Amino acid sequence: MHAHEAISKAITDGRDAHGIALVAYVTAGYPSMEAFPAILNDACQHADVVEVGIPFSNPIADGGSLQETARAALAAGATMKKIMHTLRDLDGTLAAPLLLMGYLNPLLAYGLDRLAEDASSAGVRGVIVPDLPLEALDIAKPLNDAGLATIGMVSPVTSDARLARIAAHASGFVYAVTSVGVTGQHRSDQSDIVEYLKKVKATATIPVCAGFGIREKAHVDALRGACDGVIVGSALMEAVGEGRDVGSILQALR
Amino acid sequence: MTADTQGLLRALIGGALPNEHGFFGPFGGRFVPETLVPALDRFEAGARDALADAAFHNELRQHQETWVGRPTPLMYAPRLSEAWKAQVWLKREDLAHTGAHKINNALGQALIAKRIGAERIVAETGAGQHGVATAAACARVGLPCIVYMGAKDVERQAPNVVRMRRMGAEVRPVTTGDATLRSAVDEAIRHWVGDPQGTHYILGSAVGPHPFPWVVREFQKVIGIESRRQMLEQVHGLPDLAVACVGGGSNAIGFYHGFLGDSSVEMHGAEAGGVGAAVGQHAATMSGGTPGVLHGSRSMLLQDEDGQVSDTQSVSAGLDYPAIGPEHALLAHVGRVRYHAVRDGEAIAALDELSRLEGILPAVEPAHALALAKRLCEGRDHPTVLVNVCGRGDKDMPILTRLAEQEGR
């Protein structure tokens, strides 16, 4: 099974078992490189897929919470090299498959050929690059060639034609951004979101996960049936910042 | 120059760059979250439509002549010429309305924003000149305006904050990150990501995702076109040296475009050399940077080996940015323009020299260009040098006052 198929399968398995799959986002190196493995391990116990965020100095799609975790992780000395080492050490011990979520520049600095090799050998199954649009996807070729999932992102303002092209190029799952804006902001009116997710579902041949602004169980429940999984990041990282237990936060969302 | 770089330069001069994906050779492009793509497409279509429309150009020209005060003068600087043993000519963009070249782009983009039905404008500013220009242009065309400005810059460019607010703009100080221009750009983009339909982001420099570097250049080209015509009319010849300062590089890109095809004109850019060559002590992107992606485009970037963007330092808020416009990266790549770091002290000395010899107080930004021009004149036999004085120094009073206090005068 290719790495990207492992991601798709984890999402559909999670959906079949719980009604909706749960994807957890954790910032690598937050609150410290030492604390990160235990947090990651916990997240893997209670989520179907875990996104490991590579901290970047200028994360333009992130809201205040995730921006702050990235800043703190960098200040605490998180680097791509250290993150890959940590993941390699944990490989085989984690209960859920991993994705890397990173802005393009740190990935380019690391080298995409090197990333494809190191990520694969560290048990990473795919990547999410929020600032790599469809037109520039050829940059991700080394990752595709290694069988890694390249998660396609769409938003409520994406045209139907563009949605079809993104869905066709994506592997693993399609990441449907539920609100126009940065991460962490929740919109109270979800009715049009359900319609939008149904449209994405009808277009994609791989699973669809909804993210941005999903903070509590009610938000998750509102999306049951409309998509295959939900992605929870800001709310989880805020909890980590407050010293709360990741496992119980995720459990409460199920 | 290799055949490849010659071909790129020919393509640039011939108008074939940026290409349809917004690339200037290996630089440029559009690296943004998916949410922004429709907004960028809409802006690009609106800009193409406007720039091909004679009625738009007529309207723009009318604003330029009666409100901006174009053409700005080309001025011979006799006492500076004597001091430098050169023929020194100054393009007086400092005499444009609101005191800098920034108005050329702000006005152009505000007119396009109106055409495409934007409900409000968001902008970022470093030195405050782009913020003031955008506030003025929004007042002129009747659009509400929000300006993000690093908290550090709010302090060091206080007079411009007052001007923006007086013209009806809302100024939002940014305390995140390094609290300078780069953080202001982050916040302005964030705002735009949150409302890409209703908002148009008037980016102030030749940076960012396609189509910004191209649109900004198109509106700043007026500087180079006027300069070349005025040189031919007044001097009956072209300059040996053409010098401009470069942060993101909007004044410089417009200025250079007048002379790109004139191989006899040597072109140079002055970057912020700050207080030293170590990382974090300057903002000299071309001298100290490597290729990378920031704020939506691939260009030269000050970054560490992990791809994290470096902190910068400069006496000039307008040059204090860790990246540079992608077209400049191409101009350096093909060898058409050479970029040099100019330290804070050298720039302030040039500011003093122009003030005392010609009675012109330039902004700290073009003071970098003056310092470089002086350096380049040394060892040459009375060269004809043209410097783009892209802004006036009124806005730098807090910095100059502090320096004067330190010097005890």
Side-chain angles (χ1 to χ4, degrees), chain A residues 23 61 71 94 121 123 128 137 143-144 164 177 181 184 188 216 228 244:
Chain A
V23 179
R71 194 201 59 74
L94 298 172
S121 70
I128 302 175
L137 261 189
L143 307 173
N144 271 317
V177 173
S188 50
E216 54 195 65
D228 301 289
R244 284 151 67 200

Side-chain angles (χ1 to χ4, degrees), chain B residues 159-196:
Chain B
N160 271 345
V161 177
V162 177
R163 291 170 78 193
M164 283 183 265
R165 289 182 172 148
R166 286 281 173 199
M167 287 191 276
E170 182 192 341
V171 180
R172 296 189 181 169
V174 178
T175 52
T176 53
D178 59 0
T180 65
L181 179 57
R182 156 189 160 197
S183 305
V185 175
D186 283 347
E187 283 310 312
I189 293 179
R190 253 179 243 285
H191 181 116
W192 193 33
V193 171
D195 179 27

Side-chain angles (χ1 to χ4, degrees), chain B residues 319-336:
Chain B
L319 304 183
D320 200 356
Y321 183 68
I324 188 167
E327 193 169 352
H328 285 290
L330 176 68
L331 288 171
H333 178 69
V334 302
R336 183 65 186 93

Side-chain angles (χ1 to χ4, degrees), chain B residues 291-356:
Chain B
V293 174
L294 179 69
H295 295 144
S297 77
R298 182 174 190 273
S299 187
M300 297 298 283
L301 178 62
L302 291 171
Q303 57 183 328
D304 67 15
E305 57 172 16
D306 295 314
Q308 305 298 342
V309 181
S310 308
D311 284 341
T312 52
Q313 194 180 337
S314 169
V315 66
S316 131
L319 304 183
D320 200 356
Y321 183 68
I324 188 167
E327 193 169 352
H328 285 290
L330 176 68
L331 288 171
H333 178 69
V334 302
R336 183 65 186 93
V337 179
R338 275 185 279 161
Y339 298 83
H340 317 253
V342 173
R343 297 261 170 103
D344 287 353
E346 207 181 340
I348 296 297
L351 179 145
D352 283 341
E353 191 173 25
L354 182 67
S355 303
R356 286 179 191 165

